[in-house]
Amino acid sequence: MHLSGSRFIAAGAVTLFVALMLAGWWLTRAPVLAVTGTQLNQPVPDIPLTDQDGQPFRLSDLRGKVVVVYPFLTDCREICPMTTAAFIKMARALDAAGLRNEVALLEVTVDPERDTPERLHAYAELSSASWTMLTGSPKNLGRFWAFFGVSTERTAIESPGPIDWYTHEPATYDVGHTPALMFIDAQGNERIVLVGTADVGRQLPSQLEAMLSDQGRQNLAAPQQPWTVEQALDDVGVLLGRPIPTNGNS
């Protein structure tokens, strides 16, 4: 039996906890850890970051929009390609609904050592991403993810490691991280957290599927605590105050 993704929702002064499946929370490629220390309905700190074009970025630049944030790394082979595919579907649904100017999708790295703006730009082109990807200094990204309660863990890879799609050299390390979508309202407050793995119907664009490891292919076929594009769009709709048609994108 599959469990739906764990969702925390804060509405006004009342925090509503839905489906508290804590035992199922886990890191991609690392020991089980949960989103911790996060208090919803709090303003997200305005930490300086850098986008895939090398331009400075702050969340305050998006004030007035609903923002969806996902922690990722471009060399992820287990879960992140599924989230990127889910973002592709979400972007299409937002475009079809005429809401793209009201919602921002962000993939933010947990691997600042490798994920330079140039590499993020290459990943965006590879995946046909039409949204913002962000990196930054280790210090700033550490502060950013600490606010959201996202855990990261760098682990060495035994030689020979898998070939890095960007450098074409064997990878020497991996970064496990908490798989979670964070939803920020138009006033800049974190309001919803959806924890789990994107269920994209066992289908990925070929360029993303080619990145998957054996574990990634297992996750694609049977995602842990799956959340769907429809669920994510429903959460965006809650913060927008209007439903978003999915047109079969889930």
Side-chain angles (χ1 to χ4, degrees):
M1 178 181 70
H2 294 314
L3 301 176
S4 62
S6 298
R7 180 190 279 124
F8 291 164
I9 302 176
V14 179
T15 301
L16 175 63
F17 296 96
V18 181
L20 301 180
M21 306 288 189
L22 296 179
W25 290 4
W26 53 298
L27 286 174
T28 66
R29 302 172 300 285
V32 174
L33 291 173
V35 172
T36 59
T38 298
Q39 188 173 9
L40 295 182
N41 213 25
Q42 298 294 310
V44 179
D46 200 24
I47 296 170
L49 298 172
T50 304
D51 71 15
Q52 69 261 45
D53 296 319
Q55 297 301 308
F57 176 93
R58 288 178 179 268
L59 279 175
S60 59
D61 299 337
L62 301 177
R63 200 59 47 84
K65 297 184 179 184
V66 171
V67 181
V68 185
V69 178
Y70 182 76
F72 91 121
L73 62 154
T74 59
D75 202 41
C76 176
R77 298 175 177 84
E78 285 74 26
I79 288 181
C80 304
M82 278 76 89
T83 305
T84 297
F87 269 29
I88 291 171
K89 293 184 178 183
M90 291 172 65
R92 289 173 180 166
L94 292 167
D95 284 339
L99 295 173
R100 197 62 186 277
N101 289 331
E102 298 182 45
V103 181
L105 306 177
L106 303 178
E107 285 189 289
V108 185
T109 190
V110 295
D111 184 14
E113 180 177 325
R114 277 186 299 212
D115 283 340
T116 61
E118 294 79 12
R119 184 176 172 121
L120 291 179
H121 186 87
Y123 182 82
E125 288 191 336
L126 178 73
S127 59
S128 300
S130 58
W131 53 88
T132 300
M133 297 183 178
L134 296 169
T135 188
S137 70
K139 180 179 179 180
N140 284 346
L141 284 168
R143 291 170 54 211
F144 185 83
W145 291 127
F147 170 83
F148 288 107
V150 167
S151 297
T152 66
E153 183 174 349
R154 175 168 165 157
T155 56
I157 296 176
E158 292 186 9
S159 181
I163 299 300
D164 184 312
W165 64 272
Y166 184 70
T167 66
H168 307 294
E169 299 290 337
T172 59
Y173 72 90
D174 202 356
V175 181
H177 61 90
T178 312
L181 287 181
M182 280 69 68
F183 297 78
I184 302 169
D185 66 19
Q187 290 72 47
N189 299 311
E190 183 186 16
R191 293 284 300 280
I192 302 171
V193 178
L194 181 59
V195 181
T197 307
D199 184 346
V200 290
R202 301 187 178 188
Q203 294 183 339
L204 286 181
S206 59
Q207 65 272 27
L208 293 175
E209 187 172 5
M211 293 183 174
L212 294 179
S213 64
D214 289 343
Q215 181 60 56
R217 285 186 282 274
Q218 292 179 34
N219 292 337
L220 176 63
Q224 299 291 315
Q225 278 192 259
W227 55 266
T228 65
V229 170
E230 183 176 16
Q231 283 179 287
L233 290 173
D234 282 348
D235 286 340
V236 171
V238 167
L239 298 183
L240 286 175
R242 73 194 79 170
I244 302 173
T246 60
N247 298 321
N249 282 306
S250 61

